[in-house]
Amino acid sequence: DTVTKCDEVFFEENSLMLVYVGANSGTYRYGVNSVFCDGTSFCIHVEQTNNPEIVTDDMAGWFITVVVPDSMVADCTEFDADLNNIER
């Protein structure tokens, strides 16, 4: 579990990003596809990691945690996350 490893020593050099993904079915699962930083803009790209044949009709929300070195985001002024809708 990512969060249980985050103590004071961890936060001396790292940040923990939290991305919320809303889904129209609790059957879908999501994960990080990539993390991008061009020096001023930081973006976490999330993708659906499964492609079930049968899905439930419930709504679901997922929190995805991403560990990022502070040096990667030190000069960033823009933060974003997006969902990659990749056809499987």
Side-chain angles (χ1 to χ4, degrees):
D1 185 52
T2 303
V3 178
T4 58
K5 298 175 186 174
C6 300
D7 58 11
E8 289 181 28
V9 174
F10 168 86
F11 285 109
E12 289 176 4
E13 296 183 4
N14 299 286
S15 293
L16 185 63
M17 303 294 181
L18 186 64
V19 178
Y20 177 79
V21 178
N24 59 4
S25 174
T27 307
Y28 299 126
R29 298 293 182 261
Y30 300 89
V32 175
N33 175 289
S34 64
V35 177
F36 171 79
C37 182
D38 68 4
T40 57
S41 297
F42 175 82
C43 187
I44 299 170
H45 300 283
V46 175
E47 70 177 344
Q48 184 179 323
T49 59
N50 66 347
N51 191 22
E53 290 183 28
I54 300 172
V55 298
T56 58
D57 267 343
D58 59 334
M59 300 286 291
W62 303 100
F63 287 105
I64 300 171
T65 54
V66 182
V67 174
V68 179
D70 287 343
S71 60
M72 183 178 199
V73 295
D75 297 325
C76 290
T77 56
E78 299 175 19
F79 295 87
D80 196 9
D82 68 13
L83 179 61
N84 295 339
N85 293 311
I86 299 171
E87 295 292 324
R88 296 183 185 269

